[in-house]
């Protein structure tokens, strides 16, 4: 299952294969259903969550989605379905890194307006612009939702200065996309 990613904060449950409309986070509890996220600089946050009812999902955490709390909203939806954030395992995939991701003052202002003063800690000045650490911003949302720090892995690969992954910032319209898939296999039948 996949969505048309729109750089927003909406979360959708996947109960069938195919395109499920517009959203930037998708979760499921249906064994055998893989969820696909695509990116060219935005972090894909993959979450597997144990608990009374195991669930899994991903968030496409662009700066706009991050400011709108998409990762926190995904965790809330998964916990509401019986998952336990304390039993989650998370991977924040390759994306524009804190070494290269320059943004304007309007991005910093939007983060402050939506997330409060604490969001300013995700920005470092670089000349007249700002460097945004999307890895740290999404990690903070995960931890605030109850995911233990030790259960969060950050790939730490910047798509802008690296060459292993497509980057819209580096390649422009010619950039391809990479994908991540998360799911739970169907139990073997005897």
């Amino acid at each position: 299952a996949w969505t048309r990613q729109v750089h927003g904060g909406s979360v959708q449950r996947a109960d069938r294969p195919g395109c499920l409309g517009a959203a930037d986070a998708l979760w499921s509890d249906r064994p055998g259903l893989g969820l696909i996220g695509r990116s060219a600089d935005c972090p894909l946050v993959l979450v597997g969550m144990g608990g009374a009812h195991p669930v899994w999902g991903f968030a496409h955490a662009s700066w706009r989605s991050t400011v709108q709390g998409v990762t926190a909203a995904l965790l809330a939806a998964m916990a509401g379905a019986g998952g336990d954030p304390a039993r989650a395992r998370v991977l924040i995939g390759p994306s524009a890194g804190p070494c290269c991701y320059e943004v304007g003052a309007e991005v910093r202002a939007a983060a402050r307006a939506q997330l409060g003063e604490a969001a300013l800690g995700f920005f470092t000045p670089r000349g007249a612009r700002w460097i945004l650490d999307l890895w740290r911003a999404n990690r903070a949302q995960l931890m605030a939702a109850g995911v233990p720090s030790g259960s969060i892995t950050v790939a730490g690969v910047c798509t802008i200065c690296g060459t292993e992954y497509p980057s819209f910032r580096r390649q422009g319209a010619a950039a391809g996309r990479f994908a991540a898939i998360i799911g739970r296999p169907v139990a073997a039948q005897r």
Side-chain angles (χ1 to χ4, degrees), residues 29-49:
D29 58 356
R30 183 175 162 191
L33 183 60
L35 310 178
I36 303 170
R38 295 170 314 284
S39 181
D41 280 321
C42 304
L44 294 174
V45 180
L46 305 175
V47 181
M49 191 181 290

Side-chain angles (χ1 to χ4, degrees), residues 1-3 10-21 23 25-37 53-58 74 77-78 81 182-184:
W2 64 93
T3 63
S10 60
V11 177
Q12 189 165 340
R13 178 175 186 249
D15 59 358
R16 61 179 172 79
C19 184
L20 303 178
L26 191 59
W27 67 273
S28 187
D29 58 356
R30 183 175 162 191
L33 183 60
L35 310 178
I36 303 170
H53 192 72
V55 291
W56 52 93
F58 79 88
L74 172 65
M78 292 171 72
I182 188 166
R184 181 175 182 210

Side-chain angles (χ1 to χ4, degrees), residues 152-172:
I152 303 168
T153 300
V154 178
V157 176
C158 178
T159 54
I160 297 172
C161 64
T163 58
E164 305 89 27
Y165 295 91
S167 168
F168 188 80
R169 289 267 178 131
R170 180 172 32 87
Q171 299 168 297

Side-chain angles (χ1 to χ4, degrees), residues 121-189:
F122 307 132
F123 294 85
T124 304
R126 182 181 280 173
R129 299 189 48 86
W130 295 91
I131 295 292
L132 171 55
D133 188 341
L134 286 172
W135 301 340
R136 198 158 55 106
N138 283 284
R139 184 179 179 83
Q141 287 185 30
L142 291 160
M143 290 172 42
V147 177
S149 176
S151 296
I152 303 168
T153 300
V154 178
V157 176
C158 178
T159 54
I160 297 172
C161 64
T163 58
E164 305 89 27
Y165 295 91
S167 168
F168 188 80
R169 289 267 178 131
R170 180 172 32 87
Q171 299 168 297
R177 300 295 184 267
F178 61 92
I181 301 172
I182 188 166
R184 181 175 182 210
V186 176
Q189 299 293 320

